[in-house]
Amino acid sequence: MNQETEPSKKIDPRVFLDWAEAFEVGTGITGGKGWNLGRLARYGFKIPAGGVLSVEAYKDFVVENNLQNAIGDIAQKVALNNIGEKETEEKLALLREKIKSARVPAYIQEEIKSGLIKLVLLEKSLAVRSSASAEDSDKASFAGIHESFLNVHGFKNILKAVNGCYASLWTEQAVAYRRKMGIPDNEALMAVVFMEMVQAHAAGVAFSCDPRTGREDVLTIGANFGLGESVVKGLIDPDEYILGSSLSPEIKHRKIGSKKLMTVVSGEGGTKTVKSELYKVQALSDEQIKKLGNLVLRIFEVLGKGELHQDIEWVFDGEECVLVQARPLTALQKVSFAELKDQPEIWSNANIKDAVPMVLPVLSRSAIKNNINEILASPFKIIGYQMPDGLQQVKIYMGRAYLNLSAIQWCNFDALGIYPKETNKNFGGHQPEIAIHEEKPYSGIKGLKRLWRMVKFFRAVAQYKKKANSYFAGVTDFSAAFLKKDLSILADKELFRLSGSIFKAANEFAPVFMMMTGAAASLSMLVK
């Protein structure tokens, strides 16, 4: 399991850092975007050549240009309740103009130039992007708030873009977001990322979940031809691809957007928006979509440790997807039952810690999570009980699996009339219980539906019981064949395929297993 933690925020004497150095020093020096790019490079993902101008350069820029008093005035006088007022807007606009017209100290200019020469980037087209120390963390995103400059040519324009990044700390939206998130201005320091521009056949965003609905069992991708700016800034209705989040994700849904505009590089520098004749064509092929889906899963497991969902920007260069940004999603609504929305979520490793007691390796995390969700849902599907799409009944925390006991207790009660106390007996008997406000679960229309589901449950048990021997024989044969395999000689792709076959077999057996164990757990109800 990846036990990576962010480095301590020590002061580093270097001003310009390559990706490897950015990884070593953390967000306090390179900002959120810079450090996450360093992490992507460290773990073998393809990102553009580039480096980071550290926050130390920004500090010296402020001092050399005597901007401390103007910044201190903003910190003292601008509050969330007066942002939008004319006086506040004028103060912020004046500070931004001072920053844009200020001179980058000579030694910093030399550091930028020598760093870019070392990376063979000085004469190339660059993306110059803001990377604030407080952004792209698990607490604050700042997505789309700070400035980025694309297709920057020449050293003079590079310095101008640096000033533009610094100035973007002091827009109304940036200051308002800091006030809302409780981030002091003196903790909002700006680093600057320099990256080689990628020749973009297509580009866009990707998420390791569905950020609109909160569903964690899918991956979502937005795409358009040309640069990703048209997607990120909402200039067009992009293609949307939705994939399952299991190993080897498959496309579940696609929507071809009305992509009548696209963003491309301009010969004079910067970008321009032009009409597109490709709006009826899918921006990525199915094969490219699946490859990108696998990349998204890898980023979720490596940067998010299988727990923190990721917001990713990518560029397709005609051969493969190049990653230009990854950051945590800071707000994701929960998929649950309406009856549970005002109750605390109860997560417990009771019961599951016997079956899966260890810290899960990366390969197993998403597979086991999806597998256990399928297993827990299978009896309810059989009896016709509708669960919310994307309900997560298991999650990974610090590498271990936990069950959503709130959802399990409610499903058992709402579907079959089993009170939380009875459910908890099967999980060890020491867990908290959700609040239930029905005293007679088998009265009225709801009660009749529960009784009918109980009848369907035991009918299904009887049917599975007749077939149980053949099911168990199949599992025995599968296990015996698997144990004969020499895993040490298998290539990575074959190991990956074999892992998928294990979980596929487990899902086929899940209804039998769950119906039999469920029947045993329900005997107390029959006795009553």
Side-chain angles (χ1 to χ4, degrees):
M1 177 186 171
N2 171 28
Q3 293 286 355
E4 172 214 73
T5 55
E6 185 178 342
S8 60
K9 294 176 175 59
K10 60 186 179 182
I11 301 301
D12 193 280
R14 292 165 294 184
V15 172
F16 191 98
L17 303 99
D18 62 24
W19 297 138
E21 292 165 336
F23 171 79
E24 293 294 336
V25 298
T27 59
I29 302 296
T30 64
K33 191 180 283 92
W35 187 54
N36 283 330
L37 285 163
R39 295 168 77 199
L40 288 170
R42 168 67 177 80
Y43 293 115
F45 295 97
K46 184 172 181 179
I47 66 171
V52 188
L53 182 66
S54 78
V55 300
E56 299 305 307
Y58 173 74
K59 291 179 183 178
D60 287 356
F61 172 90
V62 168
V63 171
E64 181 147 325
N65 290 283
N66 297 312
L67 297 168
Q68 304 98 308
N69 290 338
I71 289 173
D73 188 52
I74 297 296
Q76 290 180 0
K77 296 181 180 178
V78 176
L80 194 58
N81 62 4
N82 63 22
I83 289 175
E85 295 179 1
K86 185 178 179 181
E87 184 180 352
T88 299
E89 289 179 357
E90 289 175 349
K91 281 180 180 291
L92 290 170
L94 179 61
L95 176 56
R96 291 197 301 275
E97 286 306 311
K98 286 182 178 180
I99 291 172
K100 288 178 182 179
S101 61
R103 182 176 182 272
V104 175
Y107 94 93
I108 295 174
Q109 293 189 34
E110 288 304 312
E111 288 282 350
I112 296 171
K113 184 175 288 185
S114 61
L116 293 175
I117 289 172
K118 184 179 177 181
L119 295 169
V120 198
L121 292 177
L122 185 60
E123 304 301 324
K124 293 186 177 180
S125 176
L126 299 179
V128 182
R129 310 187 70 182
S130 300
S131 180
S133 56
E135 75 178 7
D136 291 356
S137 70
D138 58 353
K139 296 181 178 63
S141 170
F142 286 89
I145 289 179
H146 298 132
E147 286 284 352
S148 289
F149 302 88
L150 303 181
N151 192 31
V152 179
H153 298 281
F155 191 61
K156 181 180 177 180
N157 289 324
I158 290 171
L159 294 180
K160 184 179 178 181
V162 169
N163 285 44
C165 290
Y166 288 168
S168 70
L169 270 174
W170 304 104
T171 61
E172 286 86 355
Q173 61 265 38
V175 175
Y177 187 73
R178 290 202 296 273
R179 300 293 185 269
K180 180 182 177 182
M181 302 304 293
I183 299 170
D185 288 340
N186 61 5
E187 291 183 14
L189 305 173
M190 184 63 78
V192 179
V193 165
F194 304 92
M195 291 192 295
E196 182 177 3
M197 286 290 292
V198 181
Q199 186 175 1
H201 289 245
V205 296
F207 302 91
S208 58
C209 59
D210 186 339
R212 298 160 303 184
T213 65
R215 287 186 61 169
E216 299 182 64
D217 60 331
V218 294
L219 315 174
T220 53
I221 297 170
N224 189 18
F225 293 102
L227 296 168
E229 204 171 15
S230 64
V231 179
V232 173
K233 292 187 175 181
L235 302 179
I236 48 91
D237 178 28
D239 285 357
E240 181 179 80
Y241 317 125
I242 298 178
L243 300 86
S245 64
S246 58
L247 294 173
S248 298
E250 294 295 323
I251 301 169
K252 299 166 74 86
H253 173 76
R254 82 191 77 216
K255 177 180 73 70
I256 308 303
S258 55
K259 311 180 293 297
K260 294 186 179 182
L261 299 173
M262 61 189 290
T263 306
V264 298
V265 296
S266 171
E268 297 78 32
T271 63
K272 59 184 179 181
T273 301
V274 297
K275 290 183 178 180
S276 174
E277 301 299 324
L278 300 171
Y279 59 91
K280 293 183 179 180
V281 181
Q282 194 168 294
L284 292 178
S285 70
D286 284 3
E287 181 183 1
Q288 292 155 5
I289 293 168
K290 291 177 184 179
K291 284 183 178 179
L292 180 54
N294 273 315
L295 267 181
V296 172
L297 278 181
R298 282 181 58 206
I299 294 167
F300 176 51
E301 294 298 339
V302 176
L303 268 61
K305 301 182 183 179
E307 301 171 26
L308 193 58
H309 283 286
Q310 300 291 304
D311 170 357
I312 299 150
E313 293 182 21
W314 56 270
V315 179
F316 179 63
D317 64 6
E319 294 183 2
E320 58 185 323
C321 283
V322 182
L323 304 173
V324 295
Q325 183 168 300
R327 60 173 164 240
L329 274 170
T330 55
L332 190 66
Q333 68 182 61
K334 298 293 183 183
V335 175
S336 189
F337 295 91
E339 292 82 358
L340 298 178
K341 68 177 182 178
D342 296 324
Q343 298 195 44
E345 277 191 329
I346 305 166
W347 291 90
S348 173
N349 67 350
N351 185 276
I352 198 171
K353 66 184 176 185
D354 299 323
V356 191
M358 71 293 289
V359 170
L360 297 169
V362 171
L363 179 63
S364 300
R365 281 202 294 249
S366 63
I368 283 180
K369 184 170 71 171
N370 287 315
N371 182 248
I372 294 176
N373 271 318
E374 286 287 332
I375 289 173
L376 292 172
S378 59
F380 296 100
K381 290 180 181 178
I382 291 169
I383 63 174
Y385 178 73
Q386 184 64 46
M387 291 180 169
D389 290 335
L391 176 69
Q392 295 294 291
Q393 297 194 76
V394 63
K395 72 182 295 185
I396 307 299
Y397 178 70
M398 299 297 286
R400 286 187 165 86
Y402 285 75
L403 294 176
N404 185 345
L405 204 55
S406 298
I408 293 170
Q409 289 177 7
W410 177 254
C411 286
N412 283 345
F413 176 79
D414 195 36
L416 300 169
I418 301 171
Y419 275 102
K421 182 178 180 180
E422 297 297 324
T423 295
N424 280 358
K425 285 182 181 179
N426 299 316
F427 286 84
H430 303 288
Q431 292 78 35
E433 299 174 16
I434 60 171
I436 297 293
H437 304 293
E438 292 184 52
E439 295 181 358
K440 297 179 179 180
Y442 299 113
S443 63
I445 299 298
K446 278 188 177 181
L448 289 174
K449 288 181 177 179
R450 286 168 181 151
L451 289 169
W452 177 237
R453 291 190 198 105
M454 190 72 74
V455 171
K456 290 169 72 175
F457 178 86
F458 284 108
R459 280 182 178 175
V461 168
Q463 292 173 359
Y464 280 120
K465 187 176 180 181
K466 293 176 182 178
K467 302 176 182 178
N469 288 336
S470 63
Y471 275 111
F472 280 104
V475 171
T476 301
D477 292 343
F478 180 90
S479 302
F482 179 82
L483 291 172
K484 291 178 181 178
K485 294 182 182 293
D486 184 356
L487 303 184
S488 65
I489 65 172
L490 298 181
D492 288 351
K493 285 187 177 180
E494 182 61 20
L495 277 171
F496 194 72
R497 187 201 63 77
L498 192 61
S499 297
S501 72
I502 295 170
F503 292 111
K504 182 180 178 182
N507 283 338
E508 289 175 357
F509 182 65
V512 185
F513 175 79
M514 290 301 294
M515 297 304 278
M516 293 303 179
T517 56
S522 301
L523 286 178
S524 59
M525 293 179 60
L526 290 179
V527 170
K528 290 179 183 178

